[in-house]
Amino acid sequence: MNNKIKKAYKLMEKCRVCPRKCGVNRLKGQIGFCKAGLLPMVSSFHAHFGEEPPISGRNGSGTIFFTHCSLRCVFCQNHPISQSGQGREISIEELAGMMLDLQDQRCHNINFVTPAHYMPQILEAVFLAAEKGLKLPLVYNCGGYESLEALEILDGVIDIYMPDMKYSDNMSAKKYSNAPDYFEINKIAVREMHRQAGDLKIERGIARKGILIRHLVLPENLAGSQKIFEFIANELSPDTYVNIMAQYYPCHVGNGLKPFPTEIDRRITTGEYMEAIRLARDAGLKNGFRQVMSTIKRRRIPEWTDNLKEL
């Protein structure tokens, strides 16, 4: 583990922790595109009951929400955390203590939310926490815009990968997330995650290891859902678990785009969501989660069913 930590921190010297490869020296506190420096910043940590059923279980997922992000999604629902810097700087020891606290709360896992830009610090904290008795599965809950070099260091450390696959259309990725190479980077990253962890393994209703991919349906099919589902089924596995999310709504903040882009200035329709479900089924995907229809109509926090095949 010590060798992995050294390799991880080396990535920060001329920063290439994420695909932006800013080249700033974060070891000296310089700030890159993600706005993160040397020490990790955390917005909150707690048992979270709103994740997918095998992640939250009965006792909750032990989530740690990290401040800042390497993406600039104009519709980010956590904008105060990801782009406005809501949170506080903490030590590596304090981060390790949060993990142990969540384990003491009987959470099913430790869920690192938006972790990529703090990967070295997280790795060091995991090492410290493991020395003090941390035994829970580790969840890497990320935007899918990840560095292959960084992911390779995590091989054997992370139990469950939960990446987004946001776009198959790089024009949309550039316009709405300032990531013109998103799909190429995303495919490489997700392949590596699947290589490391494999298909999701669930024991007694709780995820233990594997990959669970999230896809947020956008208005007018701007995410390019069909290509994403076909990539997952054909190049990963048709047994891959996918969460097809319907909770998009237009947050009128982010990346200086005001007014909000007209084409995404509305919620998705039920028809658009059901078309995405059909595309997933037609691609051959059978495992995962879709939103209960009544919750789409009520626009409430999603409730999930684990059947993708029946419309």
Side-chain angles (χ1 to χ4, degrees):
M1 177 66 83
N2 281 327
N3 188 46
K4 284 181 176 289
I5 294 170
K6 289 177 182 178
K7 285 183 177 179
Y9 273 102
K10 187 69 175 176
L11 297 181
M12 295 176 62
E13 191 173 47
K14 294 181 180 178
C15 197
R16 56 185 192 276
V17 175
C18 91
R20 304 279 180 186
K21 297 182 179 179
C22 291
V24 302
N25 191 339
R26 288 177 58 198
L27 297 180
K28 293 185 177 180
Q30 293 179 0
I31 304 299
F33 181 91
C34 66
K35 299 183 180 179
L38 175 58
L39 290 177
M41 287 185 68
V42 168
S43 173
S44 64
F45 73 103
H46 53 81
H48 186 11
F49 296 90
E51 303 282 40
E52 293 82 352
I55 302 298
S56 286
R58 295 185 64 181
N59 298 336
S61 176
T63 52
I64 302 176
F65 287 87
F66 290 94
T67 303
H68 302 311
C69 184
S70 59
L71 290 172
R72 291 290 181 270
C73 302
V74 299
F75 48 80
C76 181
Q77 295 174 18
N78 291 322
H79 180 271
I81 301 171
S82 65
Q83 297 178 44
S84 296
Q86 183 182 88
R88 65 182 181 91
E89 201 169 72
I90 62 171
S91 68
I92 301 301
E93 291 77 14
E94 190 173 357
L95 180 55
M98 289 177 178
M99 300 179 202
L100 295 169
D101 188 351
L102 292 166
Q103 179 170 268
D104 289 343
Q105 294 180 43
R106 302 184 66 185
C107 292
H108 296 290
N109 47 61
I110 302 298
N111 185 348
F112 303 120
V113 181
T114 320
H117 48 300
Y118 292 123
M119 184 277 286
Q121 298 92 327
I122 291 170
L123 194 60
E124 184 180 8
V126 165
F127 178 73
L128 290 178
E131 286 187 326
K132 296 181 179 181
L134 181 69
K135 296 179 180 178
L136 293 181
L138 304 178
V139 180
Y140 204 76
N141 183 346
C142 62
Y145 191 63
E146 317 299 316
S147 158
L148 177 61
E149 191 175 9
L151 289 174
E152 288 174 341
I153 294 173
L154 293 174
D155 192 0
V157 177
I158 298 299
D159 300 284
I160 300 166
Y161 283 103
M162 252 184 0
D164 291 334
M165 291 197 78
K166 294 180 182 292
Y167 312 97
S168 69
D169 184 323
N170 279 333
M171 290 183 64
S172 291
K174 180 180 180 179
K175 184 171 185 178
Y176 307 123
S177 296
N178 198 4
D181 55 353
Y182 181 88
F183 195 39
E184 287 74 25
I185 295 293
N186 185 229
K187 287 188 291 184
I188 292 169
V190 170
R191 282 193 195 100
E192 175 62 15
M193 294 175 192
H194 187 265
R195 183 195 70 79
Q196 291 182 22
D199 293 329
L200 194 67
K201 296 174 180 62
I202 300 173
E203 300 174 4
R204 298 181 180 180
I206 302 299
R208 301 299 181 190
K209 188 177 179 63
I211 187 171
L212 193 167
I213 297 172
R214 290 169 163 175
H215 176 65
L216 179 66
V217 179
L218 295 181
E220 308 294 339
N221 192 30
L222 289 167
S225 301
Q226 182 174 355
K227 287 184 179 179
I228 289 172
F229 297 144
E230 289 175 349
F231 166 81
I232 294 169
N234 297 332
E235 300 195 39
L236 300 182
S237 165
D239 295 322
T240 303
Y241 274 73
V242 180
N243 180 357
I244 302 175
M245 301 185 295
Q247 66 260 39
Y248 171 82
Y249 70 94
C251 301
H252 289 259
V253 291
N255 210 23
L257 290 180
K258 294 181 180 180
F260 211 66
T262 304
E263 66 276 11
I264 58 172
D265 195 12
R266 63 171 176 83
R267 296 180 183 270
I268 65 168
T269 66
T270 299
E272 287 172 326
Y273 183 67
M274 298 311 295
E275 173 65 7
I277 298 293
R278 184 189 69 78
L279 291 172
R281 183 197 62 187
D282 289 352
L285 297 173
K286 53 190 176 183
N287 294 324
F289 307 92
R290 62 184 177 93
Q291 193 169 340
V292 177
M293 288 303 302
S294 61
T295 64
I296 298 175
K297 294 175 182 178
R298 293 197 304 266
R299 308 299 187 191
R300 295 179 61 185
I301 295 173
E303 299 170 10
W304 303 106
T305 176
D306 61 358
N307 190 341
L308 289 180
K309 291 183 287 186
E310 294 182 6
L311 299 181

